[in-house]
Amino acid sequence: MCGILGIVGHNDVAAQLYDGLTVLQHRGEDAAGIATANGSKLRVHKGNGLVSEVFDAKAMALLEGRVGIGHCRYPTAGSEGSDEAQPFYVNSPFGIALAHNGNLINTDALRREVFEQDRRNVNTESDSEVLLNVFAHELDTQKALNPEATFRAIEGVHKRCVGGFAVVATVLGLGLVAFRDPNGIRPLVLGKRQGNGQDEYAVASESVALDLLGFERLRDVRPGEAIVITPRGELFTRQCAEPRMHTPCIFEYVYFARPDSMMDEVSVHKARMRMGQKLGEKILRLRPDHDIDTVIPIPDTSRDAALEISNVLGVKYREGFIKNRYVGRTFIMPGQGERAKSVRRKLNPIPLEFRNRVVLLVDDSIVRGTTSKQIVQMARDAGARKVYLASAAPPVRYPNVYGIDMPSAEELVAHDRTDDEVQKLLGCDWLIYQDLSDLEEAVSGPKHNIEYFDSSCFNGEYVTGIEPGYFERIKQLRSDEAKKTRRA
Ligand SMILES: O=P(O)(O)OC[C@H]1O[C@H](OP(=O)(O)OP(=O)(O)O)[C@H](O)[C@@H]1O
Ligand SMILES: NC(=O)CC[C@H](N)C(=O)O
Ligand SMILES: [Mg+2]
């Protein structure tokens, strides 16, 4: 679930892109990059690591220009190598750099098409490089370089690319370009501010980046909409794909996004609180005479939900696990070995919050079960009398193909298992999951801001349709086993 950011300012934007990427860091910790456009020069600096590791003063000084884009990566296609860090660059037509959050599901066919029909070379296994080459080809077929021609090119991209995608690009001689997939699966938000008497704009995966940089959040980019912003601060927008059902990814609200972001007019923080309320009510319905002494969150993401569960149950909320802030998010790490080791390094119990108590541990989601299995054991070792586990999301049973790296159903602890079987596997005394209808209501909120969701990892329904054999193929390419073999 990468983070993307694009800015058009009245002076150099690299430092602001850097700052913005630091608050999108939770969306991808594997690689980072920035591209800036300055007159006839497009400069790109990228590499593996956190934003703070990839850039030094020398690299920043070279990133001149008032138009720029940034990216932090969590791979869902290709490898974790530095050659697949983003933004990607092509020199023709004009010089384009592009950064992408999401995942294309027709990459193989597109790759062939790009080579055979468009006569373009894609040098990596990245779907994003394929997407860039499709855009470049479509722009090349236009007679002029202006917003109108760019929108026609993006119409062409929508006709060819299938999947989840939010994109920022900079085209030399044009400015900043941004667009979102026709179902609005991946998020993208637009902001504006004044700088030196000029309108300045930014587009970002999450509104928290706009807040930090002093941009006012104008609105979300609409599904299928495209935006062009010239270096002078002129904004052009156009619907470039047939309207389809708007189905934002529900997992953004469960886990990916920061709680201080607004996405598609929904506060992530409030959505998580409502998840907690609903789950608390379900616990009371199923066990009105429960014996829970304490509610304990599994930090970080489950805190909002856990606090509300404790309020609904009328039971104490306690921080029982201390998180080592120098260890990254485990779920977005590329390999299972690394993920498993990191949980213990990351979380350590405070024994007095467990000794002789019946504890309800709360997590936002249980995906591979890596975290919860170890946490349950840690709670027992710390002296808990009974360990219950609540998940603010329903069982994750199906692969995600739109930008979350869950390619193989067999790796999901709840795939093909009953709740009882999962409970046994995780070793807890009671396991309780949120119902999907409750989760969807919790995110949609009292104003019903979102009607439909991409909830595919919970219900196996894929809004774009999936070609036969696709799941088998991504499993072969991207399962933990396949990644291990590739690295060896
Ligand atoms: O069942 P699993 O495969 O372990 O995946 C789910 C866990 O991973 C995530 O935590 P993560 O450590 O990535 O980030 P967080 O600190 O934001 O909670 C998520 O919040 C769950 O705790
Ligand atoms: N998580 C993402 O958005 C990934 C973007 C792209 N598919 C990549 O692997 O680089
Ligand atoms: Mg977590």
Tab-separated table of all heavy atoms in Angstrom, residues 109-143:
chain	number	residue	atom	x	y	z
A	109	ALA	N	-0.514	-9.357	-19.780
A	109	ALA	CA	-1.022	-9.050	-21.121
A	109	ALA	C	-0.534	-7.668	-21.556
A	109	ALA	O	-0.099	-7.481	-22.702
A	109	ALA	CB	-2.547	-9.104	-21.122
A	110	LEU	N	-0.557	-6.718	-20.621
A	110	LEU	CA	-0.112	-5.358	-20.950
A	110	LEU	C	1.361	-5.331	-21.317
A	110	LEU	O	1.775	-4.648	-22.251
A	110	LEU	CB	-0.323	-4.433	-19.749
A	110	LEU	CG	-1.726	-3.883	-19.522
A	110	LEU	CD1	-1.752	-3.076	-18.229
A	110	LEU	CD2	-2.164	-3.001	-20.688
A	111	ARG	N	2.145	-6.098	-20.582
A	111	ARG	CA	3.588	-6.134	-20.831
A	111	ARG	C	3.862	-6.586	-22.271
A	111	ARG	O	4.671	-6.002	-22.982
A	111	ARG	CB	4.239	-7.092	-19.824
A	111	ARG	CG	5.754	-7.094	-19.822
A	111	ARG	CD	6.262	-8.166	-18.884
A	111	ARG	NE	5.910	-7.875	-17.498
A	111	ARG	CZ	6.579	-7.024	-16.715
A	111	ARG	NH1	7.629	-6.396	-17.198
A	111	ARG	NH2	6.195	-6.811	-15.478
A	112	ARG	N	3.116	-7.637	-22.686
A	112	ARG	CA	3.285	-8.134	-24.063
A	112	ARG	C	2.865	-7.062	-25.072
A	112	ARG	O	3.573	-6.783	-26.034
A	112	ARG	CB	2.435	-9.400	-24.264
A	112	ARG	CG	3.119	-10.671	-23.797
A	112	ARG	CD	2.397	-11.902	-24.334
A	112	ARG	NE	0.997	-11.949	-23.917
A	112	ARG	CZ	0.587	-12.429	-22.728
A	112	ARG	NH1	1.461	-12.907	-21.866
A	112	ARG	NH2	-0.697	-12.450	-22.431
A	113	GLU	N	1.705	-6.474	-24.803
A	113	GLU	CA	1.175	-5.430	-25.687
A	113	GLU	C	2.151	-4.256	-25.819
A	113	GLU	O	2.399	-3.767	-26.913
A	113	GLU	CB	-0.084	-4.887	-25.010
A	113	GLU	CG	-1.355	-4.958	-25.826
A	113	GLU	CD	-2.483	-4.430	-24.967
A	113	GLU	OE1	-2.608	-3.200	-24.756
A	113	GLU	OE2	-3.246	-5.280	-24.474
A	114	VAL	N	2.676	-3.843	-24.665
A	114	VAL	CA	3.588	-2.697	-24.647
A	114	VAL	C	4.814	-2.998	-25.512
A	114	VAL	O	5.299	-2.148	-26.256
A	114	VAL	CB	3.986	-2.362	-23.184
A	114	VAL	CG1	5.258	-1.524	-23.136
A	114	VAL	CG2	2.859	-1.638	-22.480
A	115	PHE	N	5.283	-4.238	-25.455
A	115	PHE	CA	6.470	-4.612	-26.228
A	115	PHE	C	6.125	-4.782	-27.708
A	115	PHE	O	6.751	-4.192	-28.574
A	115	PHE	CB	7.065	-5.898	-25.654
A	115	PHE	CG	8.318	-6.319	-26.365
A	115	PHE	CD1	9.493	-5.596	-26.210
A	115	PHE	CD2	8.325	-7.423	-27.212
A	115	PHE	CE1	10.654	-5.972	-26.873
A	115	PHE	CE2	9.471	-7.798	-27.871
A	115	PHE	CZ	10.642	-7.072	-27.714
A	116	GLU	N	5.065	-5.585	-27.968
A	116	GLU	CA	4.790	-5.958	-29.355
A	116	GLU	C	4.126	-4.831	-30.142
A	116	GLU	O	4.453	-4.592	-31.294
A	116	GLU	CB	3.913	-7.219	-29.391
A	116	GLU	CG	4.719	-8.460	-29.030
A	116	GLU	CD	3.843	-9.651	-28.657
A	116	GLU	OE1	2.635	-9.623	-28.946
A	116	GLU	OE2	4.393	-10.599	-28.045
A	117	GLN	N	3.144	-4.145	-29.517
A	117	GLN	CA	2.427	-3.103	-30.271
A	117	GLN	C	3.047	-1.721	-30.091
A	117	GLN	O	3.219	-0.981	-31.042
A	117	GLN	CB	0.972	-3.028	-29.804
A	117	GLN	CG	0.163	-4.261	-30.132
A	117	GLN	CD	-1.196	-4.196	-29.447
A	117	GLN	OE1	-1.713	-3.118	-29.185
A	117	GLN	NE2	-1.778	-5.326	-29.146
A	118	ASP	N	3.377	-1.389	-28.841
A	118	ASP	CA	3.863	-0.025	-28.573
A	118	ASP	C	5.378	0.087	-28.777
A	118	ASP	O	5.929	1.175	-28.747
A	118	ASP	CB	3.523	0.405	-27.138
A	118	ASP	CG	2.044	0.263	-26.807
A	118	ASP	OD1	1.247	0.108	-27.759
A	118	ASP	OD2	1.685	0.298	-25.620
A	119	ARG	N	6.043	-1.076	-28.915
A	119	ARG	CA	7.492	-1.140	-29.153
A	119	ARG	C	8.270	-0.402	-28.062
A	119	ARG	O	9.110	0.442	-28.311
A	119	ARG	CB	7.818	-0.602	-30.544
A	119	ARG	CG	7.050	-1.363	-31.597
A	119	ARG	CD	7.095	-0.713	-32.915
A	119	ARG	NE	8.424	-0.847	-33.498
A	119	ARG	CZ	8.655	-0.711	-34.792
A	119	ARG	NH1	7.674	-0.492	-35.617
A	119	ARG	NH2	9.865	-0.811	-35.256
A	120	ARG	N	7.906	-0.761	-26.817
A	120	ARG	CA	8.566	-0.151	-25.664
A	120	ARG	C	9.143	-1.239	-24.784
A	120	ARG	O	8.525	-2.284	-24.615
A	120	ARG	CB	7.553	0.650	-24.847
A	120	ARG	CG	7.094	1.871	-25.545
A	120	ARG	CD	6.067	2.611	-24.727
A	120	ARG	NE	6.058	3.993	-25.148
A	120	ARG	CZ	6.821	4.937	-24.645
A	120	ARG	NH1	7.620	4.686	-23.651
A	120	ARG	NH2	6.765	6.164	-25.109
A	121	ASN	N	10.289	-0.931	-24.179
A	121	ASN	CA	10.907	-1.914	-23.297
A	121	ASN	C	10.556	-1.620	-21.845
A	121	ASN	O	10.697	-0.488	-21.384
A	121	ASN	CB	12.432	-1.868	-23.478
A	121	ASN	CG	13.122	-2.740	-22.450
A	121	ASN	OD1	12.713	-3.879	-22.245
A	121	ASN	ND2	14.130	-2.220	-21.794
A	122	VAL	N	10.092	-2.648	-21.145
A	122	VAL	CA	9.885	-2.520	-19.702
A	122	VAL	C	10.992	-3.327	-19.045
A	122	VAL	O	11.096	-4.526	-19.248
A	122	VAL	CB	8.492	-3.043	-19.303
A	122	VAL	CG1	8.333	-3.042	-17.801
A	122	VAL	CG2	7.408	-2.188	-19.941
A	123	ASN	N	11.777	-2.647	-18.237
A	123	ASN	CA	13.040	-3.235	-17.803
A	123	ASN	C	12.967	-4.014	-16.496
A	123	ASN	O	13.933	-4.635	-16.087
A	123	ASN	CB	14.050	-2.091	-17.657
A	123	ASN	CG	15.381	-2.465	-18.232
A	123	ASN	OD1	15.479	-3.458	-18.955
A	123	ASN	ND2	16.402	-1.718	-17.881
A	124	THR	N	11.838	-3.930	-15.782
A	124	THR	CA	11.717	-4.614	-14.488
A	124	THR	C	10.446	-5.458	-14.481
A	124	THR	O	9.690	-5.472	-15.456
A	124	THR	CB	11.609	-3.603	-13.324
A	124	THR	OG1	10.342	-2.948	-13.432
A	124	THR	CG2	12.730	-2.576	-13.347
A	125	GLU	N	10.200	-6.095	-13.362
A	125	GLU	CA	8.974	-6.896	-13.201
A	125	GLU	C	7.841	-6.053	-12.616
A	125	GLU	O	6.794	-6.569	-12.255
A	125	GLU	CB	9.251	-8.082	-12.275
A	125	GLU	CG	10.200	-9.118	-12.852
A	125	GLU	CD	9.736	-9.598	-14.213
A	125	GLU	OE1	8.573	-10.007	-14.324
A	125	GLU	OE2	10.537	-9.537	-15.171
A	126	SER	N	8.057	-4.760	-12.462
A	126	SER	CA	7.084	-3.901	-11.784
A	126	SER	C	5.876	-3.596	-12.668
A	126	SER	O	6.018	-3.219	-13.836
A	126	SER	CB	7.767	-2.593	-11.405
A	126	SER	OG	6.803	-1.625	-11.113
A	127	ASP	N	4.683	-3.730	-12.091
A	127	ASP	CA	3.464	-3.334	-12.813
A	127	ASP	C	3.441	-1.823	-13.027
A	127	ASP	O	2.869	-1.337	-13.994
A	127	ASP	CB	2.217	-3.809	-12.058
A	127	ASP	CG	2.135	-3.250	-10.650
A	127	ASP	OD1	3.198	-3.008	-10.033
A	127	ASP	OD2	1.020	-3.044	-10.141
A	128	SER	N	4.067	-1.086	-12.120
A	128	SER	CA	4.052	0.376	-12.226
A	128	SER	C	4.846	0.845	-13.438
A	128	SER	O	4.487	1.832	-14.079
A	128	SER	CB	4.640	1.000	-10.955
A	128	SER	OG	4.064	0.406	-9.824
A	129	GLU	N	5.926	0.136	-13.771
A	129	GLU	CA	6.695	0.519	-14.960
A	129	GLU	C	5.882	0.226	-16.229
A	129	GLU	O	5.958	0.964	-17.206
A	129	GLU	CB	8.044	-0.215	-14.996
A	129	GLU	CG	8.979	0.446	-15.996
A	129	GLU	CD	10.282	-0.299	-16.261
A	129	GLU	OE1	10.500	-1.380	-15.688
A	129	GLU	OE2	11.065	0.205	-17.085
A	130	VAL	N	5.081	-0.842	-16.173
A	130	VAL	CA	4.194	-1.135	-17.304
A	130	VAL	C	3.166	-0.005	-17.444
A	130	VAL	O	2.943	0.529	-18.541
A	130	VAL	CB	3.482	-2.498	-17.084
A	130	VAL	CG1	2.416	-2.725	-18.149
A	130	VAL	CG2	4.498	-3.639	-17.095
A	131	LEU	N	2.580	0.383	-16.327
A	131	LEU	CA	1.581	1.465	-16.326
A	131	LEU	C	2.182	2.747	-16.902
A	131	LEU	O	1.563	3.440	-17.722
A	131	LEU	CB	1.086	1.674	-14.883
A	131	LEU	CG	0.144	2.820	-14.560
A	131	LEU	CD1	-1.119	2.776	-15.386
A	131	LEU	CD2	-0.236	2.775	-13.082
A	132	LEU	N	3.405	3.075	-16.499
A	132	LEU	CA	4.069	4.274	-17.025
A	132	LEU	C	4.219	4.180	-18.538
A	132	LEU	O	3.971	5.147	-19.267
A	132	LEU	CB	5.453	4.436	-16.368
A	132	LEU	CG	6.403	5.432	-17.031
A	132	LEU	CD1	5.817	6.835	-17.088
A	132	LEU	CD2	7.745	5.462	-16.305
A	133	ASN	N	4.603	3.000	-19.029
A	133	ASN	CA	4.809	2.867	-20.471
A	133	ASN	C	3.500	2.922	-21.251
A	133	ASN	O	3.470	3.409	-22.379
A	133	ASN	CB	5.593	1.591	-20.782
A	133	ASN	CG	7.083	1.838	-20.635
A	133	ASN	OD1	7.726	2.317	-21.555
A	133	ASN	ND2	7.609	1.586	-19.443
A	134	VAL	N	2.419	2.444	-20.651
A	134	VAL	CA	1.112	2.572	-21.306
A	134	VAL	C	0.760	4.060	-21.402
A	134	VAL	O	0.371	4.566	-22.463
A	134	VAL	CB	0.020	1.796	-20.522
A	134	VAL	CG1	-1.367	2.090	-21.111
A	134	VAL	CG2	0.297	0.295	-20.548
A	135	PHE	N	0.929	4.775	-20.288
A	135	PHE	CA	0.627	6.217	-20.283
A	135	PHE	C	1.508	6.941	-21.306
A	135	PHE	O	1.032	7.776	-22.086
A	135	PHE	CB	0.830	6.766	-18.869
A	135	PHE	CG	0.674	8.262	-18.762
A	135	PHE	CD1	-0.463	8.904	-19.248
A	135	PHE	CD2	1.672	9.041	-18.174
A	135	PHE	CE1	-0.605	10.291	-19.151
A	135	PHE	CE2	1.539	10.419	-18.068
A	135	PHE	CZ	0.399	11.038	-18.563
A	136	ALA	N	2.796	6.618	-21.325
A	136	ALA	CA	3.726	7.279	-22.247
A	136	ALA	C	3.303	7.023	-23.696
A	136	ALA	O	3.285	7.935	-24.525
A	136	ALA	CB	5.146	6.771	-22.001
A	137	HIS	N	2.923	5.783	-23.993
A	137	HIS	CA	2.500	5.476	-25.356
A	137	HIS	C	1.251	6.271	-25.726
A	137	HIS	O	1.173	6.853	-26.809
A	137	HIS	CB	2.223	3.973	-25.508
A	137	HIS	CG	1.602	3.646	-26.831
A	137	HIS	ND1	2.345	3.533	-27.985
A	137	HIS	CD2	0.299	3.468	-27.195
A	137	HIS	CE1	1.531	3.286	-29.001
A	137	HIS	NE2	0.288	3.242	-28.541
A	138	GLU	N	0.287	6.283	-24.813
A	138	GLU	CA	-0.969	6.986	-25.107
A	138	GLU	C	-0.716	8.482	-25.291
A	138	GLU	O	-1.346	9.120	-26.124
A	138	GLU	CB	-1.995	6.745	-23.986
A	138	GLU	CG	-2.433	5.277	-23.845
A	138	GLU	CD	-3.157	4.733	-25.058
A	138	GLU	OE1	-3.908	5.498	-25.694
A	138	GLU	OE2	-2.963	3.539	-25.403
A	139	LEU	N	0.216	9.044	-24.526
A	139	LEU	CA	0.530	10.471	-24.660
A	139	LEU	C	1.263	10.723	-25.980
A	139	LEU	O	1.076	11.755	-26.625
A	139	LEU	CB	1.401	10.909	-23.467
A	139	LEU	CG	1.467	12.406	-23.179
A	139	LEU	CD1	0.093	12.995	-22.906
A	139	LEU	CD2	2.377	12.669	-21.980
A	140	ASP	N	2.053	9.758	-26.374
A	140	ASP	CA	2.809	9.858	-27.621
A	140	ASP	C	1.899	9.891	-28.841
A	140	ASP	O	2.255	10.443	-29.882
A	140	ASP	CB	3.754	8.648	-27.707
A	140	ASP	CG	4.986	8.961	-28.530
A	140	ASP	OD1	5.264	10.154	-28.738
A	140	ASP	OD2	5.655	8.009	-28.958
A	141	THR	N	0.727	9.264	-28.723
A	141	THR	CA	-0.178	9.232	-29.884
A	141	THR	C	-0.945	10.558	-30.035
A	141	THR	O	-1.659	10.746	-31.005
A	141	THR	CB	-1.205	8.076	-29.766
A	141	THR	OG1	-1.979	8.317	-28.587
A	141	THR	CG2	-0.548	6.716	-29.677
A	142	GLN	N	-0.827	11.457	-29.059
A	142	GLN	CA	-1.520	12.747	-29.132
A	142	GLN	C	-0.691	13.722	-29.976
A	142	GLN	O	0.536	13.631	-30.009
A	142	GLN	CB	-1.722	13.328	-27.722
A	142	GLN	CG	-2.441	12.411	-26.771
A	142	GLN	CD	-3.848	12.076	-27.243
A	142	GLN	OE1	-4.576	12.956	-27.719
A	142	GLN	NE2	-4.224	10.817	-27.129
A	143	LYS	N	-1.389	14.666	-30.577
A	143	LYS	CA	-0.659	15.611	-31.458
A	143	LYS	C	-0.017	16.750	-30.678
A	143	LYS	O	0.905	17.386	-31.138
A	143	LYS	CB	-1.627	16.169	-32.495
A	143	LYS	CG	-2.060	15.073	-33.459
A	143	LYS	CD	-2.556	15.636	-34.775
A	143	LYS	CE	-2.752	14.550	-35.788
A	143	LYS	NZ	-3.706	13.519	-35.349
